[in-house]
Every structure is written in structure tokens, then in C-alpha cells.
């Protein structure tokens, strides 16, 4: 059986002038996690915010009492040098550090923002490092990246080098409000068929109008931005997203 639904609204669509309250309110409306989009202007063209903002909103949301529990800060790291920022985000209150496969195969093994090294990292090494620092690890793939690149990582016999979650992007990373790309759902199906108990996240264009497609494919972690934060009744939207996933388990 697939894991239960996890609804993770993206705070990129929240009111930045009252971000702490928006995060707290959304948790109170029934969501499980908060999805925090970190963009550096290099890996993606847009810039959002960094660890200091995560530090400021963390006190507004209670820490999860169990692994992947309610209140998890799911930090989606759309950054060119993911290893450099692991420690900073752990200190800021991140619970799940989800980096991009595409960045991990082309970035350095430096462990601090100011460090420089010619040594390269790789997805397995980075997952191990995230676990070692004390966070859950996720790995994300862009629409242009085939799901096949994940098989060697997921079947790795070394548990500390395997991700706790896979994120399949259903838009091109970098901006909110894009149209849902159903073309990416076969990746979700392939992952679910091979790994029935894996947490599989989808991000981009998710709403009441697209959730059935994502749930049918096997996604259980649902990122929705404007569909939740822009709704007249966010609690109702969260409930409907959850129902669509759980009735397909």
C-alpha cells in the first residue's frame, strides 16, 4: 500500500508581509508539511529567500513529533551548490532537505557557503551527508530529466545513501503559477510500481482540477501553492486534495 497523503502547501504563494502567521494558519487548516522553495538565481532564474527566513518562520510552526510528521519543513533547494547550504538550513529548522539531481551531479563537495574546493559531490554522497547532519533527504528531478537516473540511487544497498522522498517536478522549476505538466506523471507511475512504500512528491500546477491525475499516477506528497493560499476556504481544498490521494491507496 502506498503511503498516506501528505499535503504540503508552498509558501511561495503565501502573504510575505505576514509569513509567520500564514504558515501557522495553514497548518491549522489541516495541512501536514510546509513546502519552502529556495531559489538562488543560478540553478533557476528566480530568487526567493534563504535560511534567515526559515529561521524566522520556524517558531510559528511546531516541530514534527515524528519523522515526516505534521509541521515538517520541506525545503526544496533549487540551488546550484546544494551541499554548501546543508548545515545552514539544518540550523534554521529545515526537516527535509530536497536537492536537485541535476545540481548534485555538477556541484562541489564544499560544506560551507564560503568554502571553495575542486572536489565534486554526487547524489549518494550528498544524501548521506544530509542524513549525517540530522535531516531527511529528498531528491528532485526536472521535467527534462528521465526517471531512469534515480534507479541506481534508489536500489543502493547502503540505507544512508538512499533518499527518504523523491520529488517529480510537474512544471519547470523557478516560478509559481505554471500550468500542470501531465506528461511527467509516467515518472511517478514508474516510481510507484517499483517502490510501493516510497514517498513520492509532485510539485507544480496541483489543484482540485489536477489532483486526480497525480493521485492516479501514485503521488502521495502534494505540493499546492495558489490552490491553497489563494482559496476562499483553504481547509476545504486541503481536505479534497487529501481525499483524492487516500481513496486511491
Amino acid at each position: 500500500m502506498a503511503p498516506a497523503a501528505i499535503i504540503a502547501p508552498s509558501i511561495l504563494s503565501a502573504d510575505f508581509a505576514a509569513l509567520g502567521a500564514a504558515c501557522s494558519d495553514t497548518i491549522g487548516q489541516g495541512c501536514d508539511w510546509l513546502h519552502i522553495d529556495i531559489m538562488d538565481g543560478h540553478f533557476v532564474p528566480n530568487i526567493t529567500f534563504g535560511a534567515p527566513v526559515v529561521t524566522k518562520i520556524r517558531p510559528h510552526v511546531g516541530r514534527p513529533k515524528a519523522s515526516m510528521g505534521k509541521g515538517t519543513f520541506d525545503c526544496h533547494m533549487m540551488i546550484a551548490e546544494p551541499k554548501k547550504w546543508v548545515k545552514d538550513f539544518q540550523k534554521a529548522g529545515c526537516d527535509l532537505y530536497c536537492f536537485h539531481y541535476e545540481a548534485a551531479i555538477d556541484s562541489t563537495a564544499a560544506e560551507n557557503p564560503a568554502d571553495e574546493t575542486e572536489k565534486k559531490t554526487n547524489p549518494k554522497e550528498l544524501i548521506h551527508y544530509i542524513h549525517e547532519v540530522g535531516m531527511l533527504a529528498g531528491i528532485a528531478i526536472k521535467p527534462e530529466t528521465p526517471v531512469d537516473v534515480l534507479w541506481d540511487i534508489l536500489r543502493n544497498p547502503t540505507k544512508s545513501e538512499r533518499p527518504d522522498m523523491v520529488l517529480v517536478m510537474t512544471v519547470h522549476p523557478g516560478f509559481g503559477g505554471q500550468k500542470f505538466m501531465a506528461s511527467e506523471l509516467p515518472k511517478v507511475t514508474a516510481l510507484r510500481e517499483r517502490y510501493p512504500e516510497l514517498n513520492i512528491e509532485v510539485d507544480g500546477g496541483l489543484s482540485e482540477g489536477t489532483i486526480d491525475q497525480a493521485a492516479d499516477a501514485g503521488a502521495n506528497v502534494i505540493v499546492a501553492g495558489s490552490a491553497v493560499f489563494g482559496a476562499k476556504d483553504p481547509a476545504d481544498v486541503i481536505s479534497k486534495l487529501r481525499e483524492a490521494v487516500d481513496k486511491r491507496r
Side-chain angles (χ1 to χ4, degrees), residues 83-149:
K83 190 170 184 182
K84 282 188 175 185
W85 295 96
V86 170
K87 290 179 181 177
D88 278 26
F89 276 84
Q90 190 275 333
K91 291 175 184 175
C94 171
D95 301 295
L96 194 161
Y97 190 96
C98 183
F99 65 90
H100 267 266
Y101 168 86
E102 302 86 359
I105 60 171
D106 192 33
S107 59
T108 72
E111 296 183 3
N112 295 288
D115 291 351
E116 297 292 338
T117 178
E118 294 184 3
K119 183 181 177 183
K120 296 291 186 179
T121 190
N122 61 72
K124 293 178 184 178
E125 189 272 339
L126 183 50
I127 290 166
H128 177 81
Y129 180 67
I130 294 165
H131 285 149
E132 192 174 57
V133 168
M135 293 184 290
L136 297 168
I139 187 168
I141 54 173
K142 294 180 178 182
E144 56 266 33
T145 301
V147 71
D148 305 51
V149 302

Side-chain angles (χ1 to χ4, degrees), residues 23 53 76 84 87 97 115 194 221 230:
C23 292
V53 172
H76 178 192
K84 282 188 175 185
K87 290 179 181 177
Y97 190 96
D115 291 351
R194 291 193 184 209
V221 185

Side-chain angles (χ1 to χ4, degrees), residues 2-3 10 19 34 36 47 67 72 76 87 93 114 122 135 137 139 144 153 183 188 201 204 215 219 221:
S10 169
L19 192 54
L34 290 176
I36 301 172
I47 297 173
S67 179
T72 291
H76 178 192
K87 290 179 181 177
N122 61 72
M135 293 184 290
I139 187 168
E144 56 266 33
I153 299 166
S183 59
V188 176
E201 184 173 59
V221 185

